[in-house]
Amino acid sequence: MAIPKTLQWRGDAASGALHIIDQTLLPARRVELALADTDALVDAIARLAVRGAPAIGVAGAYGCVIALRQGLGEAGLERVANARPTAVNLRWAVTRVRHAAGLDPQRALAEATRIHAEDEASCAAIGAHGAPLVRQGMGVITHCNAGALATAGMGTALAPLYVAQQQGRSFRVFADETRPLLQGARLTAFELREAGIDVTVIADNMAPTVLRNGWVQLAVVGADRIALNGDTANKIGTFGLALACRAHNVPLYVAAPRSTFDAGCAGGADIPIEQRNADELRRIGPVQTAPEGVAVFNPAFDVTPAELIAGYITEDGIKQAAQIAPWLRGQ
Ligand code: MRU
């Protein structure tokens, strides 16, 4: 299994850089970017060169080091935290670094390194807890990319698949293409193939047919923010997949670390949803696919209500919605 390393800090706090794989270019080209100033880091997060809630949390933590060594202070940290609004991991990481390190870049690097290592460990634990759900010969569907490319470790939604594979089981994965930016076709299919897992790409509108055909017995997706009541923001299209799964009695699990749960959001209505550039829908790459200037609705995420979610695969085990609040309180 060859799981790509999305994020690597190289060097010390004074002159080091965050090295990322530019995910906008995958799978055609594997290009590494060295991010050494705040503008470049914020731009990389905003244009999805680094993406996925845990990965942008870790990138944001290292971004604090960069902003602080540039002398940008609180305003610099705020810029990093605001690079994207929906994944709570980003603000969570910046807040954590701020509390641990004040405005000292050296201490910020120590805390960012801890956040990085913890995310890697969380992914492994999510994989271990979720793997028993993945049985020999079954079909699994996933949406967007919640794998190694989206985290500091082996992923969230894809981690149970990697662990099930390590345990010797074989199974078939259907990867929703994930319009408009194709994270499923470009990234999930890429990393599952690299790992030697049987993966079939489908357009998002084919998922109900795949479910009706009886080809899938389990759905696993990641999350960008999970409210206290279990309502879950994830890539646009997750809600539709969850409805289709419910109609076909296929359980849909959300896999996410604690850093994706937001005790400050009571329910899904409190989660801010990022609206992205209209040209993401008017074009596919350089090719125009809709009339120039046509009105577009382009939310990056939707909210799946808790009642459509079978459980939450976390580093502390599989939780039900009612267990989230006590778990976050440490009970
Ligand atoms: O816009 P993206 O590509 O950052 O969206 C990513 C997702 O929706 C993922 O499913 C989520 O962040 C979980 S990644 C482990």
Side-chain angles (χ1 to χ4, degrees):
M1 175 169 36
I3 296 180
K5 285 253 174 253
T6 317
L7 300 148
Q8 283 176 316
W9 178 269
R10 296 195 200 130
D12 59 16
S15 61
L18 178 63
H19 293 248
I20 63 163
I21 299 171
D22 184 345
Q23 297 192 35
T24 64
L25 303 176
L26 286 172
R29 289 197 295 139
R30 186 173 174 146
V31 173
E32 198 176 283
L33 298 177
L35 308 172
D37 73 76
T38 306
D39 286 345
L41 182 115
V42 168
D43 178 63
I45 293 174
R47 66 183 186 82
L48 276 53
V50 56
R51 49 145 297 281
I56 65 175
V58 175
Y62 287 120
C64 295
V65 181
I66 294 168
L68 294 177
R69 78 170 179 220
Q70 288 183 284
L72 302 180
E74 300 285 1
L77 300 184
E78 243 341 85
R79 274 199 64 210
V80 173
N82 286 330
R84 287 187 81 188
T86 301
V88 72
N89 308 59
L90 180 55
R91 182 161 289 278
W92 167 85
V94 172
T95 304
R96 194 172 136 176
V97 172
R98 171 73 181 87
H99 283 149
L103 300 179
D104 174 18
Q106 202 97 37
R107 284 164 55 208
L109 179 57
E111 188 64 8
T113 307
R114 268 191 291 275
I115 289 172
H116 189 160
E118 284 173 25
D119 189 62
E120 193 170 353
S122 294
C123 289
I126 287 169
H129 290 301
L133 298 169
V134 184
R135 296 190 307 275
Q136 172 62 34
M138 78 176 352
V140 182
I141 192 164
T142 189
H143 190 73
C144 194
N145 172 263
L149 289 164
T151 67
M154 59 164 64
T156 57
L158 300 192
L161 307 181
Y162 289 129
V163 174
Q165 183 199 37
Q166 285 162 4
Q167 293 172 345
R169 296 193 288 289
S170 52
F171 45 87
R172 180 181 191 190
V173 180
F174 290 89
D176 284 354
E177 172 189 48
T178 315
R179 279 284 287 146
L181 297 181
L182 308 178
Q183 289 93 331
R186 293 189 302 105
L187 307 176
T188 296
F190 168 74
E191 67 168 269
L192 290 179
R193 260 172 70 94
E194 289 273 303
I197 290 176
D198 179 356
V199 58
T200 300
V201 173
I202 57 171
D204 301 340
N205 52 10
M206 297 168 191
T209 297
V210 166
L211 288 155
R212 174 155 296 176
N213 289 351
W215 294 344
V216 157
Q217 291 74 43
L218 172 71
V220 196
V221 298
D224 287 82
R225 194 184 295 230
I226 302 171
L228 272 182
N229 70 349
D231 291 352
T232 295
N234 190 49
K235 179 54 56 193
I236 189 75
T238 304
F239 177 35
L241 176 62
L243 288 168
C245 284
R246 174 56 55 90
H248 295 92
N249 288 318
V250 168
L252 178 132
Y253 286 84
V254 169
R258 198 184 166 112
S259 51
T260 301
F261 289 78
D262 185 358
C265 281
D270 301 326
I271 300 177
I273 300 294
E274 177 182 6
Q275 298 290 327
R276 293 191 61 87
N277 193 298
D279 277 343
E280 290 180 355
L281 278 174
R282 296 190 192 120
R283 305 191 145 62
I284 298 180
V287 180
Q288 186 178 339
T289 55
E292 203 59 62
V294 74
V296 158
F297 173 55
N298 187 18
F301 303 98
D302 58 24
V303 175
T304 299
E307 60 263 27
L308 296 178
I309 296 169
Y312 304 80
I313 310 170
T314 77
E315 62 270 51
D316 291 334
I318 299 181
K319 308 287 178 196
Q320 297 304 305
Q323 296 174 289
I324 292 172
W327 171 56
L328 294 182
R329 284 196 302 267
Q331 291 164 346

